[in-house]
Amino acid sequence: MPANTVGERIKQLRDNQNITLEELAERSGVNRELIKKIEEGDILPSLTPLIKISRTLGVRLGTLLDDRVQDEPVIVRKGKTQRVIHFSGYEESADTSNLNFHSLGAGKSDRHMEPFLIDVELHSDDFELSSHEGEEFIYVLEGEIEVIYGQEKYRLGEGDSIYYDSVVPHHLHAAGENDARILAVVYTPF
């Protein structure tokens, strides 16, 4: 899904609720310029500001990411994830994506979890920890990742998992010499 689709949805929800850009920034704690760049499709944000924005607008994260809603179960066949959302691993800026989210729940209405397959590309050492309300479950399918959680660092390989409160500042990236692939389930309370 192009970044501007997410931005268009944010702007539409903001307009429908008569919330100015400044009010959304103040209420969400997300920088006004970042919101403006997201709405205009100029940057690929990290997941954290989108979670903060969705909560402030009173919608679930999936509302910003989905094209259509269905009441039936959502089935995604092996190798058939068509919805790829590209995010930066950086909260305030990024012109390129190093996290490619394959949504596994797109279209499921009233869901409380956001399941993703995520391709995690190798990173630079220049990243920031981020936090948001909720919980995250990560299972490593391929490669290795490093999770920085508060003051601690955890290195996980294939078959390893971690489950944490996402209110604690955190960041994850591929570790070692190759990209990684993970299954992630993100829960953000309304």
Side-chain angles (χ1 to χ4, degrees):
M1 167 181 297
N4 64 339
T5 303
V6 172
E8 289 168 3
R9 287 202 178 119
I10 292 170
K11 183 165 181 5
Q12 180 182 30
L13 286 165
R14 188 171 59 73
D15 289 346
N16 290 347
Q17 296 178 30
N18 294 317
I19 298 173
T20 66
L21 195 60
E22 292 74 17
E23 289 171 327
L24 180 58
E26 184 178 319
R27 292 180 195 173
S28 68
V30 176
N31 178 292
R32 179 195 180 283
E33 289 304 310
L34 177 61
I35 296 172
K36 184 177 179 185
K37 288 179 181 179
I38 294 170
E39 284 187 354
E40 293 173 353
D42 292 340
I43 73 160
L44 302 165
S46 74
L47 198 55
T48 297
L50 292 180
I51 290 171
K52 291 177 180 178
I53 290 167
S54 69
R55 288 183 50 88
T56 302
L57 293 172
V59 299
R60 54 185 185 77
L61 177 62
T63 301
L64 302 181
L65 305 178
D66 291 352
D67 282 333
R68 59 185 170 74
V69 176
Q70 63 187 43
D71 291 328
E72 299 86 29
V74 173
I75 297 172
V76 178
R77 302 285 183 199
K78 180 179 178 180
K80 300 290 183 184
T81 56
Q82 296 175 357
R83 301 180 48 79
V84 180
I85 305 162
H86 307 282
F87 288 110
S88 162
Y90 308 91
E91 185 163 344
E92 293 288 332
S93 65
D95 296 322
T96 60
S97 170
N98 67 335
L99 300 172
N100 299 312
F101 286 63
H102 303 262
S103 179
L104 299 176
K108 174 72 174 93
S109 62
D110 298 327
R111 67 183 180 269
H112 300 283
M113 303 178 295
E114 298 294 338
F116 299 103
L117 284 178
I118 305 174
D119 296 319
V120 185
E121 298 175 1
L122 292 173
H123 78 293
S124 71
D125 292 330
D126 184 25
F127 59 84
E128 296 178 20
L129 300 180
S130 62
S131 65
H132 53 86
E133 289 190 51
E135 301 173 342
E136 294 182 25
F137 172 79
I138 309 294
Y139 181 86
V140 181
L141 297 168
E142 299 173 12
E144 291 182 297
I145 63 168
E146 181 177 68
V147 177
I148 300 173
Y149 185 74
Q151 300 294 318
E152 302 296 322
K153 290 183 181 181
Y154 302 96
R155 192 168 180 126
L156 306 171
E158 288 182 29
D160 294 339
S161 67
I162 185 169
Y163 188 156
Y164 53 83
D165 291 321
S166 47
V167 71
V168 174
H170 61 280
H171 184 272
L172 74 81
H173 49 263
E177 298 179 17
N178 298 308
D179 295 344
R181 182 167 241 215
I182 61 174
L183 169 66
V185 180
V186 178
Y187 165 73
T188 53
F190 240 133

